[in-house]
Amino acid sequence: MDPLESLVCRMSFSGVPLGEIQRIVRRTEAGASWLRACLESAGGMRRLARRNESERRQGAACDAWRWTAAAYQAASFCAHFDPVPAAQRQMQRARRLARAAYLRAIALDEDVAEPVSVPFGDHPIHGYFRRPRRRGLAPVVVLLNGLDSVCEVEMHAFGAWLLSRGFAVLALDLPADAASASRAPLLQVERAAAAIASFTDDLDGVRPGARGAFGVSFGGHLAARLLTVPGAFRCGVAVSPPAWIGRGELPPRVETMLAWAFDATTGEDLDAVTAHANLRMLPKPHGRLLLFHMDRDRLFDEQHARAFVAWGGDAVTVRHVDAEHVGTSSYHQWLPFACDWLRSELEDGLS
C-alpha cells in the first residue's frame, strides 16, 4: 500500500468526511501539495462549524469542529511527502490547530471529552478523559499516540470503540507533548506510570486498579513500557510496535517525525533517542501484552514481533493480520478483538 492510500484509510478511520477525503485526493492529483489540500479542507469545515455555532446548532457545530480537527491532523501528515526539517514546523502548527478545533468541539458538548492534566514533576501530562454512559464503576484504558497521531483525533476514534464496550478512556498527549507551548517529550513513559495510575484511580466512575494501555506504532512501544512497572497496569495492546528504533533503518519521513517528536535537532540527539527506544533495556513486563503484527508492515517486520516475545515470554501474545503498518484499512479484522481482549483481561474489575 503506497503512502497516499494508507493516509486515506487513516483519514477515513479518524473521521474526516468521505467527500472531503475525495476532494483532498483530487486536489493533490491536480498538483496541489498535500499540506495545502488538507488545510483548504480544514478551512472549509471550520467555516461550517462557525456557521453552525452562529445558528445555535450546537450538535452540528460540535461535529464540524471534530471534523476540522481531523483535517488539521491529516495536514500534519505532510512529512510523509516532504521529509525535510521544514516539515517539522508544519507538523507542529497543524497539530496545534487540530487541538484548538477539538477544544472547541468539547466545549460545545461536554459528553465528548473532558480536558485533564496528570500531575508529573514540572511538566503535567495533558490529555482527555471520557467515561461510558452506563452506570457503575468502569475499567479504564490509557491511550498513547504514535509518532504522527494525536490524542484529539485518531486516539479519539480508537477510544470510541472502547467506550462502546463500557470502558472509560484516558487519551494522553504522549510521547511528543504536542499540546504544550513549551514541550517536554517523554520517551521513558514508565517513569510516569505510577503518576498515571494514581490519577486514574481518583477519576470519577473508574474502578481503581482496573487499568490497561493501548497504543499503535510507537505508541505500542510505549504501552509495553508502562507494563514494566509493578502494579501500574494489568495489561496492554500494542499494534505494529517497534521493539527498537534503528538509526538509519527508518525511511526519511519517519525519521523526520521521530526527530520532531523528541526535539532532536542533531544526529547526536537522534542517536540518544534511538539508544533508549529498545526493549532490551527494559525490565520484564508485569502484565499481559497482546501484540498485533501486520504481515505487510514495511516499517517494523516480524523480527520486532519476535523480539517482543523474547522480551516478555508467555506474557506476550502475538496475532497476525494481513494488513499494512497499523492496519487502519483492516481495523474491522482486529480492533473488535482487541477491545474484547481488554475487557476479558479486566473483567474482574467490571461492576
Side-chain angles (χ1 to χ4, degrees):
M1 180 177 290
D2 63 34
L4 177 60
E5 186 179 359
S6 176
L7 295 182
V8 165
C9 292
R10 289 180 63 180
M11 285 194 294
S12 176
F13 175 77
S14 65
V16 179
L18 176 59
E20 292 300 325
I21 295 174
Q22 292 172 328
R23 276 187 278 275
I24 290 170
V25 172
R26 286 198 298 268
R27 288 169 186 153
T28 58
E29 290 175 341
S33 70
W34 176 267
L35 178 67
R36 178 181 176 184
C38 290
L39 290 178
E40 287 177 355
S41 179
M45 286 186 285
R46 183 177 58 192
R47 290 189 291 273
L48 174 63
R50 288 174 171 167
R51 184 165 65 250
N52 286 330
E53 278 192 274
S54 68
E55 296 172 358
R56 298 183 179 180
R57 299 192 306 194
Q58 183 168 314
C62 177
D63 289 338
W65 279 120
R66 284 201 291 112
W67 297 333
T68 303
Y72 278 131
Q73 160 66 1
S76 76
F77 297 157
C78 58
H80 287 270
F81 300 95
D82 187 21
V84 297
Q88 296 184 24
R89 295 190 297 272
Q90 296 164 340
M91 287 170 60
Q92 187 165 1
R93 177 175 178 269
R95 292 181 181 202
R96 287 181 175 172
L97 289 169
R99 177 175 184 262
Y102 189 74
L103 288 172
R104 291 289 290 268
I106 64 179
L108 289 166
D109 188 346
E110 295 178 353
D111 285 342
V112 174
E114 172 189 351
V116 295
S117 293
V118 178
F120 179 62
D122 296 331
H123 297 279
I125 301 169
H126 302 293
Y128 304 93
F129 176 62
R130 300 159 73 188
R131 57 176 58 84
R133 294 184 181 275
R134 64 184 65 177
R135 295 181 180 179
L137 298 179
V140 63
V141 176
V142 175
L143 304 177
L144 302 148
N145 293 331
L147 292 178
D148 67 345
S149 56
V150 294
C151 52
E152 291 86 359
V153 179
E154 283 177 306
M155 295 304 105
H156 179 98
F158 283 118
W161 283 78
L162 293 161
L163 285 168
S164 72
R165 300 299 204 279
F167 290 102
V169 174
L170 176 63
L172 296 180
D173 190 18
L174 293 173
D177 190 24
S180 298
S182 178
R183 294 172 55 225
L186 182 62
L187 165 59
Q188 294 162 306
V189 293
E190 62 274 17
R191 295 177 178 176
I196 296 168
S198 176
F199 180 82
T200 61
D201 283 347
D202 290 337
L203 287 169
D204 181 42
V206 169
R207 183 175 294 279
R211 187 169 37 255
F214 178 99
V216 299
S217 194
F218 197 81
H221 178 86
L222 300 183
R225 298 183 79 107
L226 288 176
L227 295 181
T228 65
V229 178
F233 286 79
R234 292 190 188 179
C235 58
V237 171
V239 184
S240 296
W244 67 87
I245 296 289
R247 183 81 163 92
E249 296 178 9
L250 296 175
R253 59 190 175 88
V254 180
E255 194 162 290
T256 294
M257 291 181 284
L258 182 69
W260 175 84
F262 295 104
D263 281 340
T265 58
T266 67
E268 290 76 14
D269 290 339
L270 206 53
D271 286 339
V273 172
T274 58
H276 286 93
N278 195 319
L279 283 181
R280 296 191 185 116
M281 300 184 65
L282 302 180
K284 299 297 183 181
H286 291 270
R288 285 169 50 77
L289 181 71
L290 174 62
L291 187 153
F292 287 96
H293 174 70
M294 305 300 161
D295 289 332
R296 290 184 275 119
D297 193 335
R298 295 181 180 177
L299 283 181
F300 309 123
D301 61 20
E302 194 168 352
Q303 294 182 71
H304 289 265
R306 290 198 294 266
F308 268 92
V309 174
W311 166 68
D314 292 341
V316 177
T317 299
V318 178
R319 288 183 67 92
H320 290 257
V321 182
D322 181 23
E324 75 291 346
H325 181 65
V326 177
T328 312
S329 66
S330 304
Y331 67 87
H332 56 288
Q333 296 181 17
W334 59 267
L335 185 51
F337 182 90
C339 295
D340 291 343
W341 182 88
L342 283 166
R343 183 177 178 85
S344 176
E345 290 296 312
L346 296 171
E347 64 184 357
D348 60 349
L350 294 171
S351 58

